[in-house]
Amino acid sequence: MKSPERVARQFLEDGPNLAWLLSVNVLAMLVGVQFYVETLPEVPVYLWPLYADSPAALFLVTLSLATLLPNLGRRAADAPRNRALAYLHTLAFAWLVKYGLWTFVSLNLGFSSYFGAPWNPDAFWAYWFIVVTHLGFVVEAALVPYYGATTRGALATALAALLANDAIDYLFGLHPPLRYEPGLLLPVATVALSILAVAAAARAFEDLPENPRSA
């Protein structure tokens, strides 16, 4: 059985596999944007990145993975590392973890509004497809620490950005469309997921060294 590191390196170090992963992310991002199209006109343009949460996560990780293109032919661990990249990789990881888990939590808090037998067309797309694909965000996030590093500033920025997103979602009512009223439990769970995602990033990433490999 292949180790997780070996599987990760197959995607991160091989040109065709990396191109496939980037293409899947772009396609998934476009599919995700369709979910928000009807409601986007009601949201100020400058808040779109904080409103369309899942597409934003996919956009960040696509940028993060794209930084590996000049590194093809070398080990992912040898990819350039600098402060700017540390911020990008940390944000991508935290956004993926948070919104992969948030989707699972939010659909299960509104369980009766989404769940059904997998062969039911509405349940398949509204519950099973969305839950499975978004849990895939967490799996993809696990790839990023193989080539990225973080800093205290990057972690603090990620936490501040996620909490600001939470405030916009629930204080201003700009959370992703739901089939039920979020009440109090979902906002509390969302804030907890923001903290969890950044804590996971702090644990998963190496600290950026004093003399990082420049891009």
Side-chain angles (χ1 to χ4, degrees), residues 181-199:
E181 289 299 319
L184 180 61
L185 185 55
L186 182 57
V188 170
T190 302
V191 171
L193 288 173
S194 293
I195 297 170
L196 174 65
V198 176

PDB file of all heavy atoms in Angstrom, residues 181-199:
ATOM      1  N   GLU A 181     -32.983  28.273   8.435  1.00  0.00           N
ATOM      2  CA  GLU A 181     -32.394  29.396   9.149  1.00  0.00           C
ATOM      3  C   GLU A 181     -31.248  28.890  10.023  1.00  0.00           C
ATOM      4  O   GLU A 181     -31.406  27.904  10.750  1.00  0.00           O
ATOM      5  CB  GLU A 181     -33.453  30.074  10.017  1.00  0.00           C
ATOM      6  CG  GLU A 181     -34.487  30.849   9.212  1.00  0.00           C
ATOM      7  CD  GLU A 181     -33.849  31.967   8.390  1.00  0.00           C
ATOM      8  OE1 GLU A 181     -32.938  32.654   8.919  1.00  0.00           O
ATOM      9  OE2 GLU A 181     -34.252  32.141   7.227  1.00  0.00           O
ATOM     10  N   PRO A 182     -30.098  29.544   9.977  1.00  0.00           N
ATOM     11  CA  PRO A 182     -28.929  29.008  10.690  1.00  0.00           C
ATOM     12  C   PRO A 182     -29.045  29.025  12.198  1.00  0.00           C
ATOM     13  O   PRO A 182     -28.374  28.254  12.890  1.00  0.00           O
ATOM     14  CB  PRO A 182     -27.788  29.909  10.222  1.00  0.00           C
ATOM     15  CG  PRO A 182     -28.437  31.149   9.728  1.00  0.00           C
ATOM     16  CD  PRO A 182     -29.782  30.729   9.185  1.00  0.00           C
ATOM     17  N   GLY A 183     -29.894  29.903  12.755  1.00  0.00           N
ATOM     18  CA  GLY A 183     -30.032  29.962  14.209  1.00  0.00           C
ATOM     19  C   GLY A 183     -28.720  30.346  14.881  1.00  0.00           C
ATOM     20  O   GLY A 183     -27.916  31.092  14.328  1.00  0.00           O
ATOM     21  N   LEU A 184     -28.467  29.795  16.062  1.00  0.00           N
ATOM     22  CA  LEU A 184     -27.245  30.110  16.807  1.00  0.00           C
ATOM     23  C   LEU A 184     -26.181  29.040  16.662  1.00  0.00           C
ATOM     24  O   LEU A 184     -24.979  29.338  16.647  1.00  0.00           O
ATOM     25  CB  LEU A 184     -27.576  30.291  18.296  1.00  0.00           C
ATOM     26  CG  LEU A 184     -26.394  30.619  19.221  1.00  0.00           C
ATOM     27  CD1 LEU A 184     -25.737  31.940  18.823  1.00  0.00           C
ATOM     28  CD2 LEU A 184     -26.851  30.657  20.675  1.00  0.00           C
ATOM     29  N   LEU A 185     -26.606  27.790  16.508  1.00  0.00           N
ATOM     30  CA  LEU A 185     -25.654  26.680  16.520  1.00  0.00           C
ATOM     31  C   LEU A 185     -24.692  26.742  15.339  1.00  0.00           C
ATOM     32  O   LEU A 185     -23.481  26.529  15.508  1.00  0.00           O
ATOM     33  CB  LEU A 185     -26.409  25.349  16.522  1.00  0.00           C
ATOM     34  CG  LEU A 185     -25.542  24.087  16.658  1.00  0.00           C
ATOM     35  CD1 LEU A 185     -24.671  24.168  17.914  1.00  0.00           C
ATOM     36  CD2 LEU A 185     -26.426  22.848  16.696  1.00  0.00           C
ATOM     37  N   LEU A 186     -25.181  27.033  14.145  1.00  0.00           N
ATOM     38  CA  LEU A 186     -24.301  27.059  12.981  1.00  0.00           C
ATOM     39  C   LEU A 186     -23.253  28.169  13.081  1.00  0.00           C
ATOM     40  O   LEU A 186     -22.073  27.915  12.803  1.00  0.00           O
ATOM     41  CB  LEU A 186     -25.111  27.189  11.693  1.00  0.00           C
ATOM     42  CG  LEU A 186     -24.286  27.179  10.391  1.00  0.00           C
ATOM     43  CD1 LEU A 186     -23.452  25.901  10.294  1.00  0.00           C
ATOM     44  CD2 LEU A 186     -25.194  27.306   9.177  1.00  0.00           C
ATOM     45  N   PRO A 187     -23.603  29.410  13.461  1.00  0.00           N
ATOM     46  CA  PRO A 187     -22.559  30.423  13.627  1.00  0.00           C
ATOM     47  C   PRO A 187     -21.492  30.026  14.650  1.00  0.00           C
ATOM     48  O   PRO A 187     -20.297  30.252  14.424  1.00  0.00           O
ATOM     49  CB  PRO A 187     -23.340  31.660  14.087  1.00  0.00           C
ATOM     50  CG  PRO A 187     -24.702  31.470  13.518  1.00  0.00           C
ATOM     51  CD  PRO A 187     -24.950  29.998  13.594  1.00  0.00           C
ATOM     52  N   VAL A 188     -21.911  29.434  15.758  1.00  0.00           N
ATOM     53  CA  VAL A 188     -20.944  29.000  16.773  1.00  0.00           C
ATOM     54  C   VAL A 188     -20.035  27.915  16.195  1.00  0.00           C
ATOM     55  O   VAL A 188     -18.803  27.941  16.376  1.00  0.00           O
ATOM     56  CB  VAL A 188     -21.670  28.492  18.032  1.00  0.00           C
ATOM     57  CG1 VAL A 188     -20.688  27.825  18.991  1.00  0.00           C
ATOM     58  CG2 VAL A 188     -22.378  29.646  18.732  1.00  0.00           C
ATOM     59  N   ALA A 189     -20.630  26.957  15.487  1.00  0.00           N
ATOM     60  CA  ALA A 189     -19.838  25.890  14.866  1.00  0.00           C
ATOM     61  C   ALA A 189     -18.886  26.460  13.822  1.00  0.00           C
ATOM     62  O   ALA A 189     -17.747  25.996  13.682  1.00  0.00           O
ATOM     63  CB  ALA A 189     -20.768  24.858  14.227  1.00  0.00           C
ATOM     64  N   THR A 190     -19.332  27.484  13.098  1.00  0.00           N
ATOM     65  CA  THR A 190     -18.502  28.089  12.059  1.00  0.00           C
ATOM     66  C   THR A 190     -17.272  28.758  12.650  1.00  0.00           C
ATOM     67  O   THR A 190     -16.154  28.612  12.141  1.00  0.00           O
ATOM     68  CB  THR A 190     -19.329  29.111  11.251  1.00  0.00           C
ATOM     69  OG1 THR A 190     -20.466  28.457  10.688  1.00  0.00           O
ATOM     70  CG2 THR A 190     -18.498  29.717  10.128  1.00  0.00           C
ATOM     71  N   VAL A 191     -17.454  29.496  13.730  1.00  0.00           N
ATOM     72  CA  VAL A 191     -16.312  30.126  14.404  1.00  0.00           C
ATOM     73  C   VAL A 191     -15.355  29.054  14.933  1.00  0.00           C
ATOM     74  O   VAL A 191     -14.126  29.183  14.822  1.00  0.00           O
ATOM     75  CB  VAL A 191     -16.795  31.045  15.544  1.00  0.00           C
ATOM     76  CG1 VAL A 191     -15.614  31.535  16.383  1.00  0.00           C
ATOM     77  CG2 VAL A 191     -17.561  32.231  14.965  1.00  0.00           C
ATOM     78  N   ALA A 192     -15.914  27.992  15.490  1.00  0.00           N
ATOM     79  CA  ALA A 192     -15.075  26.902  15.991  1.00  0.00           C
ATOM     80  C   ALA A 192     -14.273  26.275  14.859  1.00  0.00           C
ATOM     81  O   ALA A 192     -13.085  25.934  15.036  1.00  0.00           O
ATOM     82  CB  ALA A 192     -15.948  25.841  16.671  1.00  0.00           C
ATOM     83  N   LEU A 193     -14.875  26.151  13.685  1.00  0.00           N
ATOM     84  CA  LEU A 193     -14.161  25.594  12.535  1.00  0.00           C
ATOM     85  C   LEU A 193     -13.054  26.524  12.060  1.00  0.00           C
ATOM     86  O   LEU A 193     -12.007  26.064  11.586  1.00  0.00           O
ATOM     87  CB  LEU A 193     -15.139  25.305  11.398  1.00  0.00           C
ATOM     88  CG  LEU A 193     -16.069  24.108  11.611  1.00  0.00           C
ATOM     89  CD1 LEU A 193     -17.095  24.027  10.486  1.00  0.00           C
ATOM     90  CD2 LEU A 193     -15.273  22.802  11.687  1.00  0.00           C
ATOM     91  N   SER A 194     -13.259  27.831  12.171  1.00  0.00           N
ATOM     92  CA  SER A 194     -12.196  28.783  11.817  1.00  0.00           C
ATOM     93  C   SER A 194     -10.974  28.557  12.700  1.00  0.00           C
ATOM     94  O   SER A 194      -9.831  28.508  12.211  1.00  0.00           O
ATOM     95  CB  SER A 194     -12.697  30.224  11.970  1.00  0.00           C
ATOM     96  OG  SER A 194     -13.688  30.527  11.026  1.00  0.00           O
ATOM     97  N   ILE A 195     -11.213  28.426  13.988  1.00  0.00           N
ATOM     98  CA  ILE A 195     -10.111  28.193  14.927  1.00  0.00           C
ATOM     99  C   ILE A 195      -9.460  26.841  14.664  1.00  0.00           C
ATOM    100  O   ILE A 195      -8.231  26.708  14.654  1.00  0.00           O
ATOM    101  CB  ILE A 195     -10.637  28.294  16.366  1.00  0.00           C
ATOM    102  CG1 ILE A 195     -11.162  29.708  16.635  1.00  0.00           C
ATOM    103  CG2 ILE A 195      -9.546  27.925  17.370  1.00  0.00           C
ATOM    104  CD1 ILE A 195     -11.927  29.853  17.943  1.00  0.00           C
ATOM    105  N   LEU A 196     -10.291  25.816  14.417  1.00  0.00           N
ATOM    106  CA  LEU A 196      -9.782  24.472  14.153  1.00  0.00           C
ATOM    107  C   LEU A 196      -8.914  24.452  12.895  1.00  0.00           C
ATOM    108  O   LEU A 196      -7.849  23.821  12.872  1.00  0.00           O
ATOM    109  CB  LEU A 196     -10.949  23.494  14.002  1.00  0.00           C
ATOM    110  CG  LEU A 196     -10.583  22.066  13.575  1.00  0.00           C
ATOM    111  CD1 LEU A 196      -9.759  21.392  14.655  1.00  0.00           C
ATOM    112  CD2 LEU A 196     -11.846  21.253  13.286  1.00  0.00           C
ATOM    113  N   ALA A 197      -9.360  25.146  11.844  1.00  0.00           N
ATOM    114  CA  ALA A 197      -8.617  25.137  10.580  1.00  0.00           C
ATOM    115  C   ALA A 197      -7.237  25.754  10.742  1.00  0.00           C
ATOM    116  O   ALA A 197      -6.245  25.249  10.204  1.00  0.00           O
ATOM    117  CB  ALA A 197      -9.413  25.884   9.503  1.00  0.00           C
ATOM    118  N   VAL A 198      -7.160  26.847  11.489  1.00  0.00           N
ATOM    119  CA  VAL A 198      -5.867  27.498  11.691  1.00  0.00           C
ATOM    120  C   VAL A 198      -4.981  26.664  12.631  1.00  0.00           C
ATOM    121  O   VAL A 198      -3.767  26.561  12.421  1.00  0.00           O
ATOM    122  CB  VAL A 198      -6.065  28.933  12.223  1.00  0.00           C
ATOM    123  CG1 VAL A 198      -4.723  29.583  12.535  1.00  0.00           C
ATOM    124  CG2 VAL A 198      -6.821  29.770  11.195  1.00  0.00           C
ATOM    125  N   ALA A 199      -5.590  26.052  13.633  1.00  0.00           N
ATOM    126  CA  ALA A 199      -4.824  25.165  14.515  1.00  0.00           C
ATOM    127  C   ALA A 199      -4.260  23.982  13.720  1.00  0.00           C
ATOM    128  O   ALA A 199      -3.108  23.564  13.935  1.00  0.00           O
ATOM    129  CB  ALA A 199      -5.703  24.664  15.650  1.00  0.00           C
TER     130      ALA A 199
END
